[in-house]
Amino acid sequence: MSGTLFHDNGIVERAFERTAAGLGVDPGSARFRQMLDHLRGSPGQSRAGALEQLFAAEPDRARRAVRDFERHLDDLLAAEGVCPVEGAEQAVAQLRAAGLRVCLATGHNRHSMNTLLEQLGWTGLADLSLCPSDAGRGRPWPDMVLTAVLALDLGDVRRVMVVGDTAADMQAGRRAGSAAVVGVRTGAHPADALRAAGAHVVVDSVRDLPGLLRAPAALRR
């Protein structure tokens, strides 16, 4: 969702900065910069998983990092919220009106996802919402795509369009077997990175998705 349907206004990185400081990592240190680079290098993936990787040698600190990050993120969400990508809500509505079933997926936990949906007024926008804990693993694994296929009682993953702004989204779609993997330019990764990760097509924004239904040949470029 982040980068595809909304902009987080930097609150994820600020939540991480507060988390690291609480664990004794100076935000001005080289170690913090290295950790932040790791977080920036894993967009689209499970936030909990990225934090666990940073503290892999210290399981207790890893668990605390996940708890603290989620608490700080919730505080920032409550105080500031996020900003929807222009036309995102209308695009989802158009897809559903065209007969598609829509699943919204995120790398955040379930509580944070519910908070985001409530703040955006999107609790009934889609047919389904998923986070990594609902499926087993987050992106780049295919678990959330395949869980959506089962939950929505779809007959063929090749009839699923996977859309996202990160290389991890593209990898998840390809690994799941989707025949339509679409990158958008509104988020973390540029078009060349999305294509290198497996995107069949890259569009400017989620607003362009309904147009792909009217021109399916674009997906075979």
Side-chain angles (χ1 to χ4, degrees):
M1 290 176 62
S2 180
T4 301
L5 293 173
F6 68 81
H7 302 293
D8 73 14
N9 303 318
I11 62 175
V12 168
E13 291 193 6
R14 281 182 280 143
F16 175 69
E17 182 175 341
R18 294 182 184 183
T19 299
L23 290 168
V25 180
D26 181 358
S29 67
R31 184 186 180 198
F32 174 79
R33 290 193 294 274
Q34 292 170 350
M35 296 171 78
L36 185 58
D37 285 343
H38 173 83
L39 193 72
R40 288 172 173 168
S42 56
Q45 300 181 31
S46 163
R47 298 295 89 195
L51 290 164
E52 288 167 353
Q53 291 171 13
L54 286 172
F55 296 95
E58 306 170 273
D60 288 341
R61 293 188 82 200
R63 286 189 288 272
R64 179 182 167 188
V66 172
R67 290 195 304 269
D68 289 356
F69 173 80
E70 292 174 350
R71 174 169 53 83
H72 292 310
L73 180 63
D74 286 344
D75 289 345
L76 287 165
L77 283 173
E80 302 179 28
V82 296
C83 177
V85 168
E86 183 180 353
E89 182 174 353
Q90 293 84 351
V92 173
Q94 289 173 34
L95 293 174
R96 294 185 73 188
L100 275 70
R101 310 288 297 280
V102 176
C103 173
L104 305 182
T106 183
H108 294 305
N109 66 26
R110 170 52 62 182
H111 182 266
S112 296
M113 182 173 205
N114 288 345
T115 299
L116 286 163
L117 293 174
E118 290 169 5
Q119 285 190 344
L120 290 163
W122 290 356
T123 53
L125 180 64
D127 298 282
L128 179 68
S129 66
L130 291 175
C131 61
S133 62
D134 297 323
R137 296 175 298 182
R139 298 169 294 236
W141 308 110
D143 300 32
M144 287 199 287
V145 178
L146 298 176
T147 297
V149 170
L150 294 172
L152 295 173
D153 196 26
L154 306 181
D156 191 341
V157 73
R158 291 170 297 181
R159 294 182 63 83
V160 173
M161 178 188 293
V162 174
V163 182
D165 68 298
T166 72
D169 292 309
M170 305 301 98
Q171 291 163 352
R174 283 289 197 164
R175 290 174 177 181
S178 170
V181 179
V182 181
V184 297
R185 294 189 179 99
T186 50
H189 288 153
D192 56 351
L194 296 170
R195 291 192 181 95
H200 294 107
V201 64
V202 177
V203 296
D204 289 335
S205 165
V206 69
R207 292 176 298 174
D208 299 312
L209 296 182
L212 291 180
L213 301 183
R214 295 188 292 272
L219 291 169
R220 296 192 290 271
R221 290 176 185 171

